[in-house]
Amino acid sequence: MQVIKDIFIWLNDALLKMTWLENLINSLLTNGFGMDETGYLFKAVSFFMFDVVKIFILLSVLIYISSYIQSHFSPERTKRILTKFKGIPGNIIGALLGTVTPFCSCSSIPIFIGFTKAGLPVGVTFSFLISSPLVDLASVILLASIFGWPVALAYVVVGLVIAVIGGTLIDKFHMENYVEDFVTQGPVIVTDSVEIETTRKERHLYAWEQVKEIIKKVWIYILIGVSIGATIHGFIPQNIIETVLGDNNPFSVLIATVVGVPMYADIFGTLPIAEALVLKGVGIGTVLAFMMAVTALSLPSIVLLKKVVKTRLLVTFVTIVVIGIIITGYLFNIFGYLFI
Amino acid sequence: MNIKVLGSGCSNCIRLEKNVYEALKQIGKEATVEKVTDYSEIASYGVLGTPALVVNGKVLFSSRVPAPFTLAEMLRKEV
């Protein structure tokens, strides 16, 4: 058993944490450029270089793998699977499929209309829409690379629980009456023609296209995120951050959530900021709440959803997700020591 | 040939439209290319993921942006 464990730790360190890369960069900075290993500049530059290289390598590999898996789950197929389930199982399957069904944020409206027209309960659709941006394969593995597997797995479970409970509550409150009329009117279309046979070569092409596309879309967020992270890591004194976001401030989770909700950023850009905050002693719950708030909700997505649902449903949705995130944050701050 | 690009106008939809023109050039065919951005009209095709491509009234695919070469192959079959 010890051998297997050693191999896993070695693989984890080499491939996920990339400790060799960190050592390489640090020795380059100290020996090649003669930087002082205790200086602020060294900390910031080392953080920046290591994170940029690591995130881009991991991201390319991960997007490829997850896109390949996702090419098996079209939104149309997801819809057909979901129509077979009722009640809470429907919410659970909806939340699970949300993690593997590929969709860009601009697809959320057609998906919403399609699911609703197919007669799916509005709560199941929301379980899907909550979990989809919150939990995806690439971000979970990146999370494991930075904070370790226990935190990453806990994040997945919590994200799914929020999606299931959120969707279930929306059903319980009978929110189906607050969907815009045009969504439910009009004929139901059978979508068999949409299914096309996909060969392995096409899946490879699709996955490769996704890698190029997503990198092109998020590289700027990653650079901004890592720059902010590097600045926090190198230059901002620990006591300032601890006062605002530390465990002693009872409002830390609240602040992190409220700041994160309107922000529209990619999870990959948010991770380096989260990493720097944790290194400065901010509680893991506060950091996770910030990340969840950034990814699950954003002003653009709320504006988009407003086109298909009435204000009351929209407010209910945002409130449930925000409360879920805040509870998660405090729970992780209290029980986080179990994970790290 | 009548081609419709379904999508709300996000970056993927714009890319698909560009690739369609590129593919048409590759196979040397003319076609009318329309953009459909209205959500209820997109839904009327039974499409969930955008962007999607409709050729002569038939949905070819959805939530994908194939490369021009792949698109050219698909369009050749539809002519």
Side-chain angles (χ1 to χ4, degrees):
Chain A
M1 268 321 278
Q2 188 58 36
V3 179
I4 298 173
K5 206 175 156 198
D6 285 344
I7 292 175
F8 178 78
I9 291 174
W10 181 82
L11 280 175
N12 205 39
D13 282 352
L15 298 179
L16 270 186
K17 291 189 184 161
M18 298 198 192
T19 37
W20 53 273
L21 182 68
E22 193 172 17
N23 296 335
L24 187 74
I25 287 174
N26 285 348
S27 79
L28 187 77
L29 288 178
T30 45
N31 301 328
F33 292 89
M35 284 171 86
D36 174 15
E37 212 164 321
T38 53
Y40 290 130
L41 190 65
F42 173 85
K43 275 190 186 166
V45 173
S46 155
F47 183 98
F48 182 84
M49 288 176 64
F50 175 53
D51 262 35
V52 166
V53 177
K54 180 174 81 172
I55 289 179
F56 276 108
I57 295 176
L58 275 178
L59 204 56
S60 308
V61 177
L62 293 174
I63 295 169
Y64 183 89
I65 298 172
S66 72
S67 303
Y68 200 94
I69 297 172
Q70 285 176 343
S71 67
H72 291 270
F73 294 89
S74 66
E76 288 79 13
R77 189 168 170 204
T78 297
K79 184 184 83 179
R80 253 187 295 131
I81 297 173
L82 278 178
T83 47
K84 296 186 190 119
F85 294 93
K86 285 199 175 65
I88 293 181
N91 293 94
I92 295 172
I93 305 286
L96 286 174
L97 286 173
T99 65
V100 289
T101 308
F103 91 108
C104 78
S105 56
C106 47
S107 281
S108 55
I109 300 307
I111 286 182
F112 186 89
I113 297 174
F115 280 18
T116 310
K117 263 201 174 54
L120 288 180
V122 71
V124 172
T125 308
F126 269 100
S127 286
F128 176 88
L129 288 179
I130 295 171
S131 87
S132 201
L134 204 53
V135 186
D136 84 313
L137 189 71
S139 58
V140 167
I141 296 189
L142 218 50
L143 206 58
S145 145
I146 295 175
F147 299 118
W149 281 103
V151 171
L153 292 178
Y155 176 88
V156 173
V157 171
V158 167
L160 290 176
V161 167
I162 292 179
V164 171
I165 294 180
T168 309
L169 284 178
I170 284 174
D171 272 334
K172 285 271 174 294
F173 295 153
H174 293 289
M175 283 290 150
E176 58 273 10
N177 304 326
Y178 298 97
V179 173
E180 290 292 348
D181 295 332
F182 82 91
V183 174
T184 43
Q185 286 160 0
V188 181
I189 313 286
V190 183
T191 55
D192 287 343
S193 61
V194 179
E195 289 295 313
I196 41 165
E197 274 299 306
T198 319
T199 62
R200 191 175 295 169
K201 194 175 154 233
E202 279 174 331
R203 290 188 204 285
H204 159 73
L205 278 175
Y206 169 77
W208 182 234
E209 276 167 23
Q210 287 296 103
V211 172
K212 286 190 287 187
E213 192 48 36
I214 295 179
I215 295 279
K216 224 194 290 173
K217 213 160 63 184
V218 304
W219 69 270
I220 185 77
Y221 291 111
I222 295 174
L223 282 192
I224 293 172
V226 179
S227 305
I228 296 175
T231 312
I232 294 173
H233 186 64
F235 298 108
I236 299 187
Q238 187 139 357
N239 56 2
I240 293 182
I241 292 180
E242 272 183 355
T243 315
V244 183
L245 293 170
D247 290 347
N248 296 330
N249 182 350
F251 299 109
S252 58
V253 173
L254 226 55
I255 295 173
T257 310
V258 170
V259 170
V261 165
M263 266 172 73
Y264 176 67
D266 197 87
I267 184 152
F268 308 115
T270 327
L271 272 167
I273 302 178
E275 181 186 9
L277 289 175
V278 167
L279 289 174
K280 287 274 165 174
V282 176
I284 186 79
T286 311
V287 166
L288 285 183
F290 175 68
M291 275 175 28
M292 288 184 147
V294 169
T295 48
L297 296 168
S298 73
L299 269 186
S301 72
I302 291 171
V303 170
L304 218 55
L305 262 183
K306 180 74 192 70
K307 290 186 181 163
V308 281
V309 303
K310 294 180 180 152
T311 312
R312 184 137 169 214
L313 174 47
L314 197 66
V315 171
T316 311
F317 160 68
V318 173
T319 313
I320 290 174
V321 175
V322 166
I323 292 175
I325 291 172
I326 291 174
I327 294 174
T328 305
Y330 282 113
L331 283 180
F332 266 91
N333 275 350
I334 296 168
F335 298 109
Y337 66 91
L338 295 173
F339 296 112
I340 293 184
Chain B
M1 194 158 43
N2 179 290
I3 298 178
K4 288 190 176 104
V5 179
L6 315 188
S8 58
C10 63
S11 61
N12 284 336
C13 317
I14 295 165
R15 231 158 35 88
L16 178 61
E17 197 194 353
K18 230 165 57 188
N19 289 0
V20 165
Y21 281 117
E22 181 68 37
L24 284 172
K25 218 190 285 170
Q26 282 182 18
I27 58 172
K29 286 274 186 292
E30 298 267 316
T32 51
V33 181
E34 259 179 83
K35 274 206 287 197
V36 178
T37 53
D38 182 58
Y39 284 122
S40 23
E41 207 182 329
I42 294 174
S44 76
Y45 284 96
V47 161
L48 293 183
T50 55
L53 198 73
V54 175
V55 176
N56 296 334
K58 188 178 123 197
V59 180
L60 268 198
F61 58 80
S62 65
S63 54
R64 282 182 62 190
V65 184
F69 172 78
T70 324
L71 266 176
E73 287 292 298
M74 291 177 179
L75 292 179
R76 217 192 297 268
K77 283 181 209 153
E78 294 302 318
V79 176

XYZ file of all heavy atoms in Angstrom, chain A residues 7-41:
285
model
N 3.616 6.548 -4.920
C 3.479 6.863 -6.348
C 2.449 7.966 -6.538
O 2.661 8.913 -7.300
C 3.071 5.601 -7.150
C 4.228 4.591 -7.140
C 2.710 5.958 -8.585
C 3.899 3.280 -7.799
N 1.321 7.865 -5.810
C 0.280 8.880 -5.934
C 0.814 10.242 -5.511
O 0.616 11.250 -6.192
C -0.947 8.519 -5.086
C -2.019 9.557 -5.146
C -2.858 9.645 -6.251
C -2.177 10.481 -4.115
C -3.837 10.623 -6.330
C -3.153 11.465 -4.186
C -3.987 11.531 -5.300
N 1.537 10.275 -4.371
C 2.066 11.560 -3.893
C 3.061 12.128 -4.895
O 3.041 13.319 -5.204
C 2.726 11.377 -2.500
C 1.637 11.082 -1.461
C 3.526 12.606 -2.101
C 2.176 10.743 -0.097
N 3.905 11.224 -5.461
C 4.891 11.698 -6.429
C 4.196 12.282 -7.659
O 4.513 13.369 -8.128
C 5.825 10.548 -6.845
C 6.866 10.992 -7.808
C 8.033 11.620 -7.517
C 6.807 10.871 -9.240
N 8.720 11.904 -8.680
C 7.998 11.460 -9.742
C 5.892 10.328 -10.133
C 8.273 11.526 -11.118
C 6.169 10.386 -11.490
C 7.350 10.984 -11.969
N 3.192 11.547 -8.190
C 2.449 12.028 -9.362
C 1.759 13.354 -9.054
O 1.782 14.297 -9.842
C 1.396 10.997 -9.778
C 1.891 9.804 -10.595
C 0.757 8.818 -10.820
C 2.476 10.257 -11.930
N 1.142 13.400 -7.877
C 0.424 14.595 -7.458
C 1.359 15.806 -7.373
O 1.043 16.886 -7.871
C -0.222 14.322 -6.096
C -1.438 15.200 -5.876
O -2.209 15.431 -6.797
N -1.590 15.690 -4.665
N 2.540 15.586 -6.777
C 3.493 16.686 -6.642
C 4.049 17.119 -7.990
O 4.216 18.302 -8.265
C 4.661 16.278 -5.717
C 4.234 16.343 -4.261
O 3.124 16.844 -4.013
O 4.998 15.876 -3.406
N 4.337 16.110 -8.839
C 4.994 16.422 -10.108
C 4.017 17.002 -11.121
O 4.318 17.975 -11.803
C 5.655 15.165 -10.674
N 2.828 16.394 -11.213
C 1.904 16.795 -12.276
C 0.927 17.876 -11.837
O 0.617 18.777 -12.603
C 1.122 15.580 -12.784
C 1.976 14.475 -13.404
C 1.111 13.318 -13.836
C 2.778 15.018 -14.589
N 0.418 17.786 -10.602
C -0.594 18.753 -10.181
C 0.013 19.953 -9.471
O -0.225 21.094 -9.820
C -1.600 18.073 -9.253
C -2.814 17.434 -9.927
C -3.776 16.935 -8.872
C -3.518 18.433 -10.837
N 0.817 19.684 -8.448
C 1.389 20.819 -7.712
C 2.599 21.401 -8.428
O 2.969 22.542 -8.203
C 1.793 20.368 -6.301
C 0.620 20.035 -5.410
C 1.110 19.833 -3.990
C -0.012 19.397 -3.069
N 0.525 18.783 -1.842
N 3.229 20.603 -9.281
C 4.390 21.032 -10.068
C 5.475 21.653 -9.193
O 5.948 22.761 -9.458
C 3.971 22.013 -11.161
C 3.022 21.391 -12.156
S 2.931 22.335 -13.665
C 1.511 21.554 -14.416
N 5.849 20.922 -8.139
C 6.860 21.438 -7.225
C 8.189 21.679 -7.931
O 8.925 22.599 -7.592
C 7.069 20.453 -6.056
O 6.974 19.129 -6.572
C 6.021 20.635 -4.989
N 8.477 20.834 -8.960
C 9.738 20.987 -9.710
C 9.783 22.343 -10.410
O 10.818 22.991 -10.492
C 9.895 19.871 -10.734
C 8.702 19.722 -11.639
C 7.591 18.971 -11.390
C 8.484 20.371 -12.891
N 6.695 19.106 -12.415
C 7.211 19.954 -13.356
C 9.230 21.254 -13.674
C 6.673 20.395 -14.559
C 8.703 21.679 -14.886
C 7.435 21.261 -15.311
N 8.614 22.783 -10.908
C 8.566 24.054 -11.619
C 8.847 25.219 -10.661
O 9.578 26.156 -10.988
C 7.190 24.221 -12.277
C 6.977 25.480 -13.095
C 7.834 25.457 -14.350
C 5.510 25.634 -13.481
N 8.267 25.095 -9.453
C 8.479 26.145 -8.458
C 9.961 26.235 -8.088
O 10.541 27.319 -8.038
C 7.635 25.853 -7.209
C 7.557 27.027 -6.258
C 6.568 26.782 -5.131
O 6.197 25.613 -4.910
O 6.173 27.761 -4.487
N 10.593 25.066 -7.867
C 12.015 25.054 -7.531
C 12.846 25.640 -8.665
O 13.785 26.415 -8.433
C 12.483 23.617 -7.243
C 11.787 23.056 -6.020
O 11.348 23.819 -5.151
N 11.663 21.737 -5.952
N 12.471 25.262 -9.899
C 13.206 25.737 -11.073
C 13.147 27.262 -11.155
O 14.171 27.941 -11.320
C 12.587 25.114 -12.328
C 13.315 25.350 -13.640
C 14.568 24.494 -13.697
C 12.411 25.024 -14.836
N 11.931 27.807 -11.014
C 11.757 29.263 -11.114
C 12.501 29.980 -9.988
O 13.186 30.975 -10.207
C 10.255 29.624 -11.105
C 9.635 29.220 -12.456
C 10.035 31.112 -10.846
C 8.150 29.375 -12.522
N 12.389 29.417 -8.771
C 13.055 30.066 -7.646
C 14.576 30.073 -7.791
O 15.233 31.062 -7.477
C 12.658 29.380 -6.330
C 11.240 29.759 -5.932
O 10.661 30.681 -6.514
N 10.683 29.055 -4.977
N 15.126 28.949 -8.279
C 16.588 28.919 -8.404
C 17.030 29.820 -9.549
O 18.100 30.434 -9.504
C 17.097 27.488 -8.587
O 16.911 27.070 -9.910
N 16.166 29.941 -10.583
C 16.480 30.855 -11.682
C 16.517 32.296 -11.165
O 17.409 33.079 -11.508
C 15.418 30.719 -12.784
C 15.690 31.485 -14.063
C 16.732 30.763 -14.897
C 14.414 31.661 -14.884
N 15.546 32.623 -10.303
C 15.467 33.998 -9.796
C 16.627 34.319 -8.863
O 17.200 35.416 -8.915
C 14.141 34.226 -9.059
C 12.889 34.299 -9.935
C 11.647 34.477 -9.074
C 12.988 35.429 -10.944
N 16.999 33.366 -8.000
C 18.064 33.646 -7.042
C 19.441 33.544 -7.696
O 20.261 34.455 -7.567
C 18.014 32.684 -5.833
O 17.815 31.363 -6.340
C 16.911 33.052 -4.884
N 19.687 32.448 -8.440
C 21.013 32.264 -9.024
C 21.201 33.062 -10.304
O 22.236 33.682 -10.521
C 21.269 30.777 -9.303
C 21.171 29.956 -8.036
O 21.503 30.470 -6.962
N 20.712 28.734 -8.139
N 20.170 33.059 -11.171
C 20.296 33.735 -12.450
C 20.217 35.244 -12.326
O 20.978 35.973 -12.957
N 19.269 35.730 -11.516
C 19.077 37.182 -11.433
C 19.551 37.771 -10.117
O 19.408 38.971 -9.887
C 17.597 37.525 -11.628
C 17.109 37.243 -13.027
C 16.604 35.993 -13.361
C 17.181 38.225 -14.004
C 16.178 35.730 -14.652
C 16.751 37.970 -15.296
C 16.241 36.722 -15.629
N 20.075 36.916 -9.257
C 20.622 37.386 -8.000
C 19.616 38.051 -7.080
O 19.932 39.012 -6.371
N 18.351 37.564 -7.131
C 17.342 38.191 -6.271
C 17.414 37.643 -4.854
O 17.776 36.493 -4.625
C 15.938 37.962 -6.845
C 15.640 38.854 -8.029
S 14.116 38.393 -8.833
C 12.955 39.294 -7.858
N 17.037 38.490 -3.914
C 17.068 38.118 -2.507
C 15.813 37.305 -2.179
O 14.688 37.773 -2.369
C 17.115 39.393 -1.650
C 16.996 39.069 -0.183
O 17.167 37.878 0.177
O 16.728 39.993 0.598
N 16.040 36.084 -1.669
C 14.921 35.164 -1.497
C 13.909 35.628 -0.450
O 12.799 35.107 -0.384
C 15.456 33.774 -1.123
C 14.595 32.663 -1.656
C 15.304 31.325 -1.619
O 16.513 31.263 -1.909
O 14.639 30.337 -1.280
N 14.292 36.598 0.384
C 13.364 37.040 1.418
C 12.651 38.339 1.033
O 11.776 38.805 1.747
C 14.080 37.250 2.752
O 15.196 38.124 2.502
C 14.587 35.943 3.339
N 13.045 38.917 -0.106
C 12.481 40.215 -0.489
C 11.038 40.127 -0.975
O 10.573 39.071 -1.392
N 10.359 41.280 -0.923
C 8.972 41.336 -1.394
C 8.880 41.052 -2.890
O 8.004 40.361 -3.365
C 8.362 42.730 -1.131
C 8.121 43.001 0.323
C 8.568 44.165 0.922
C 7.414 42.075 1.103
C 8.336 44.415 2.258
C 7.180 42.313 2.445
C 7.648 43.489 3.022
O 7.410 43.733 4.331
N 9.845 41.642 -3.623
C 9.825 41.505 -5.078
C 9.967 40.040 -5.474
O 9.266 39.544 -6.349
C 10.942 42.354 -5.696
C 10.866 42.488 -7.213
C 9.610 43.238 -7.613
C 12.096 43.190 -7.764
